[in-house]
Amino acid sequence: MVDAVVRTEKPATSRRTPAGGAPTAPHSAAEAAEPRINVAEVTDLLLGTWADTRREAREMIKDPAFWNIEGQTVAEQRERVLGQLRLIVDAGAAARSYPPEYGGLGNNGANIAGFEELVLADPSLQIKAGVQWGLFGSAILQLGTKKHHDKWLGDAASLALPGAFAMTETGHGSDVAAVGTTATYDAETEEFVIHTPFRGAWKDYLGNAALHGRAATVFAQLITGGVNYGVHCFFVPIRDESGAFLDGVGGEDDGVKGGLNGIDNGRLHFDHVRVPRENLLNRYGDVAPDGSYSSEIDSPGRRFFTMLGALVQGRVSLDGSATTASALALYIAVTYGNQRRQFDSGSGTSEVVLLDYGRHQRRLLPRLATAYAQAFAHDEFLKKFDGVFSGRSDTDAEREDLETLAAALKPLSTWNALDTIQEAREACGGSGFLAENRLVGLHHDLDVYTTFEGDNNVLLQLVGKRLLSDYGRQFKGKDTAALARYAVGQTAGKVFHNAGLRQLGQSVTDFGSTARSVELGLREEQQRELLTTRVHTMVADVAGRLRPASKLSPAEAAALFNENQSDLIEAARAHGELLQWEAFTDAIHRVSDDGTLQVLTWLRDLFGLSLIEKHLAWYLLSGRLSAQRAGAVSRYIGRLCTRLRPHAQDLVDGWGFAPEHVRAPIASGAEQERQDEARAYMAALAASGNAPVSEKSLKKK
């Protein structure tokens, strides 16, 4: 039993808080005489639908050849990561989504699942693989047709053709529709002329552009017959076999970055570079030899979003890999916190294990609950992605839902990764700042995930617009009387105030205490009610404020939207949080083991109540919670943390990380050895009778 030698002889006053306080708090579920989770079942649950592929990828990256080496120069890191890509090809783990005839497995979900696990080896490797097979290669696969697949896809899969994905420009990042690069068709030569007419139109931040890429999939405004048909994608060779730029192509190295320095990010520009007409990736739009344009999608806007939607897998994978990185950081911090001791209790006992401190629990356990919620939401997200891209459920509605999910979940998980990694770093003190313990490096590398594949705030604005659109559909065709009845219902608070939650809030004393009332009154259905109502109310409020826009001038309407932009983004964020909570709840309903079900229910409650606590100002101002109950929510979160403390190690062990995946000395057992050595030394010294006398003891005489 862990730390049994320091257990007090005094009888415990409760199972969760033994007499003697923190120094004798149970460190495991066995010590607390409580139900334990079935770690293997939890691992299966967290690994999700493609658990076998994730295990296969994790087995592959146990090889030290895949691990990042701290302290390498940028040049050394770049060459190492390129070599690692070749190892992935040799292992048959590259491009699982490609059709078998081009070196893949035709399995979209497995492709993303395996790719995400690479973050455990080296985030630079993960992103470099994503550039090659998930962006460059997928642009050929998803936007091209069979002639393009036959010509280039096999070489992209085998790494014989390293490539860059040239979408982002120095002057335009998330606003892809406004890129400055042009592709003007010359009917006489049947060629497109690729050109960057000004400095801001240079393609920028492109992996493989600075050094390794020999071709690029370039997004440019397609112009033919004097008409701009919007952004399309073109295959453009950029270097010869020796690595020299081809005529008309130029570029620069982005140089040292804040992280991910194993990737050769760079800039590209084009000076009237000519490519054959056939180099237009023409799945969604084509140009005939005579210059006439055709597309099966008449609407320019829908065509543009369909093309971008075909590349949504980048956002899918960032959501999953950010969650895995958060889990790794939590594994390191919780394991260290279960072993590292600091300060005695003031009663002469041994120093206290960090995770026994209430504040330490508050720092880590709600974030652990969030990581679980993200993992379960991601698996649902990945299943929808696989359904669409496999063709099983490839409809306009399903694609729209997939894009909305991507725009809702990727911001939450990438923001949370930075928050979690930083808190884990601080929770490990100076040890967390050592590069060997990985937390600083993870933070540097994950930083740019918040702007990869679209700035997070821009993505959430897309979600908000979808929520407004869905909200508006409720009233399509309704008469004035129906709208008036709805408005009256809203102002009377019918959505919330007639619910059981409101009634529980008015009868706290019936349960004997506020804390008990919160525990009984904020369980699954009540959490759902609070979280759902917040989304609905926020969307309705923004919609109401934007309703006059239809009668305003375009400039006035834009100004009105801008006034409400922040609130709309907050509504979208609330929607993403609700999706995560629902996924967590669905997951625990699939649990068969009673102990696991109990502990995961506590963890889900911690996640739900932490969301409510985070937005307490809104709940108070909108009258959804009284001040008394709002305070009780925070106190009950503390109780949940205490309840979950003995299960913390089991819960991080549930991620299934092997030592080769963690590679942090402070989470290897070395800290426990140091603590045991120190305590054995002090015990022997005390027993020898040769220990020096404390100055304080002399003053007491």
Side-chain angles (χ1 to χ4, degrees), residues 11-56:
T13 55
S14 97
R15 286 182 174 180
R16 295 195 181 96
T17 311
T24 58
H27 296 169
S28 71
E31 289 181 353
E34 288 184 342
R36 295 194 63 174
I37 68 169
N38 182 321
V39 174
E41 181 179 3
V42 170
T43 301
D44 287 340
L45 201 63
L46 288 169
L47 291 180
T49 305
W50 287 272
D52 289 345
T53 301
R54 293 188 186 278
R55 288 190 172 96
E56 179 183 307

Side-chain angles (χ1 to χ4, degrees), residues 512-531:
S513 73
T514 301
R516 188 158 178 254
S517 170
V518 174
E519 180 171 358
L520 296 177
L522 284 180
R523 289 184 174 170
E524 183 173 310
E525 286 309 310
Q526 290 78 30
Q527 291 173 44
R528 178 181 284 110
E529 185 79 31
L530 278 175
L531 296 172

